[in-house]
């Protein structure tokens, strides 16, 4: 199988790779957004599939602990019929970089 990958360096040389087989690729805007995450005060980045590309859609800044922000932010950004990826920044650090969660949401009603 052929895999396409989105690669981004957040900070201190840590690299994140998102790979998939669909042929959907990262848009230039998403690549730019990934490059800005290391120094930004971003808690969450929502990524959607649009015109066969992965596009950044929403960002949320931290207002409390990651647990408090999670409950307030993630569920309200999910659509009942549209898949998305959520990159969610934790408060814990690995070296000089924050740790991140990658959440993949595919509702049963979606066409993907």
């Amino acid at each position: 199988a052929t895999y396409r990958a989105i690669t981004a360096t957040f900070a201190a040389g840590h690299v994140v790779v998102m790979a998939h087989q669909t042929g959907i690729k990262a848009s230039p805007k998403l690549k730019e957004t990934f490059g800005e995450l290391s120094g930004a005060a971003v808690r969450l980045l929502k990524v959607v599939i649009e015109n066969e590309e992965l596009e950044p859609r929403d960002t949320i800044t931290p207002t409390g602990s990651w647990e408090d922000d999670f409950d307030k932010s993630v569920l309200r950004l999910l659509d009942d019929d549209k898949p998305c990826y959520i990159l969610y920044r934790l408060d814990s650090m690995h070296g000089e970089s924050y740790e991140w969660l990658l959440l993949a949401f595919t509702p049963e009603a979606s066409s993907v």
Side-chain angles (χ1 to χ4, degrees):
T2 302
Y3 288 89
R4 297 195 182 264
I6 305 165
T7 305
T9 303
F10 285 89
H14 297 286
V15 176
V16 172
V17 177
M18 294 168 53
H20 47 83
Q21 290 181 286
T22 63
I24 298 171
K25 59 185 177 188
S27 70
K29 180 64 178 163
L30 181 59
K31 292 176 186 177
E32 178 183 320
T33 301
F34 274 173
E36 296 169 354
L37 286 180
S38 65
V42 173
R43 171 69 74 199
L44 176 151
L45 169 65
K46 179 180 179 179
V47 178
V48 298
I49 300 169
E50 197 170 87
N51 298 321
E52 298 301 314
E53 288 189 322
L54 295 169
E55 293 280 350
R57 183 58 61 229
D58 295 300
T59 59
I60 293 178
T61 58
T63 59
S65 71
W66 76 264
E67 293 97 338
D68 293 337
D69 289 347
F70 191 94
D71 291 338
K72 292 182 217 172
S73 60
V74 172
L75 291 179
R76 74 179 176 89
L77 290 177
L78 302 178
D79 297 317
D80 290 338
D81 60 345
K82 295 181 184 170
C84 68
Y85 296 103
I86 302 284
L87 288 141
Y88 193 85
R89 195 197 85 201
L90 302 174
D91 294 328
S92 55
M93 309 264 307
H94 182 77
E96 296 179 17
S97 302
Y98 283 103
E99 294 181 313
W100 290 77
L101 294 176
L102 171 62
L103 308 169
F105 176 69
T106 307
E108 289 184 28
S110 73
S111 61
V112 174

